[in-house]
């Protein structure tokens, strides 16, 4: 199988800050990319003498657009305490994917399993992702001749739902998790 080149036009504009004598860092980015000839792995079932097997191959999956916003911050409000986090909203869709493999229940004899997936969410991309973390560190004295610090912290990461198959089949939808 052969496939065409993938061409991406990407644009980003943003803001990076260091505020209050570096006690607060805040960054913001807006992004847009148009991907022509998007390359992705396609899985299909192939009948063989010993039964059907899954084959995977690289293909052009139409044209894709991703657009969104990304923010992140890091704060050090008091000595020893560090708080950070970030979030991304990514609206990634097939702009044009006319010859895609149908989601499994959409395939019919009439469409021969070929569907127009234009406008559907891009595979493997969550619309919303975020994380937050905090850590507190303080000195506890000298241990074995070394200055010793104790710290504790935690973090949480969340990823929204996404499709696990190129054809955006509902059965391949992975629910959001954190």
């Amino acid at each position: 199988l052969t496939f065409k080149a993938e061409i991406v036009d990407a644009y980003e504009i943003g803001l990076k800050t260091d505020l209050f004598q570096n006690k607060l860092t805040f960054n913001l980015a807006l992004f847009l990319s148009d991907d022509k000839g998007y390359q992705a792995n396609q899985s299909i079932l192939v009948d063989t003498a010993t039964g059907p097997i899954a084959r995977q191959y690289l293909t052009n999956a139409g044209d894709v657009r991703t657009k969104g916003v990304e923010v992140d911050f890091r704060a050090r409000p008091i000595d020893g305490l560090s708080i950070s986090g970030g979030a991304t909203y990514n609206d990634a869709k097939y702009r044009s994917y006319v010859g895609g493999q149908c989601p499994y229940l959409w395939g019919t004899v009439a469409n021969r399993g070929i569907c127009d997936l234009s406008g559907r969410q891009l595979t493997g991309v969550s619309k919303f992702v975020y994380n937050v973390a905090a850590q507190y560190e303080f000195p506890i004295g000298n241990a074995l001749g070394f200055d010793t610090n104790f710290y504790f912290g935690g973090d949480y990461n969340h990823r929204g739902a996404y499709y696990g198959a190129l054809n955006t089949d509902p059965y391949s939808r992975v629910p959001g998790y954190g």
Side-chain angles (χ1 to χ4, degrees), residues 19-98:
L19 305 168
F20 311 112
Q21 298 169 345
N22 294 325
K23 289 190 179 276
L24 176 64
T25 300
F26 177 79
N27 302 314
L28 170 73
L30 303 171
F31 59 89
L32 170 74
S33 68
D34 284 323
D35 193 329
K36 295 172 187 75
Y38 177 69
Q39 294 175 358
N41 286 317
Q42 173 71 60
S43 296
I44 60 170
L45 285 176
V46 177
D47 287 325
T48 69
T50 58
I53 60 171
R55 291 275 167 100
Q56 204 172 57
Y57 61 93
L58 189 62
T59 187
N60 293 103
D63 297 335
V64 168
R65 171 172 278 173
T66 60
K67 60 183 176 179
V69 61
E70 184 174 76
V71 297
D72 66 84
F73 75 93
R74 182 173 192 90
R76 296 175 191 256
I78 60 173
D79 284 345
L81 179 61
S82 176
I83 303 167
S84 61
T88 301
Y89 173 78
N90 188 356
D91 185 20
K93 293 183 179 176
Y94 294 111
R95 289 184 76 193
S96 173
Y97 190 14
V98 177

Side-chain angles (χ1 to χ4, degrees), residues 2 15-17 30 40-41 49 54 63 80 82 90 93 97-98 105 122 140 142 164 166 171 173:
T2 60
L15 172 72
K16 293 188 178 282
T17 67
L30 303 171
N41 286 317
D63 297 335
S82 176
N90 188 356
K93 293 183 179 176
Y97 190 14
V98 177
L105 296 179
L122 184 62
I140 58 172
N142 191 302
L166 186 60
Y171 290 116
R173 190 156 175 89

Side-chain angles (χ1 to χ4, degrees), residues 97-103 106-108 111-118:
Y97 190 14
V98 177
Q101 178 187 20
C102 291
W106 293 9
T108 65
N111 67 20
R112 297 184 342 255
I114 305 298
C115 286
D116 183 355
L117 300 177
S118 303

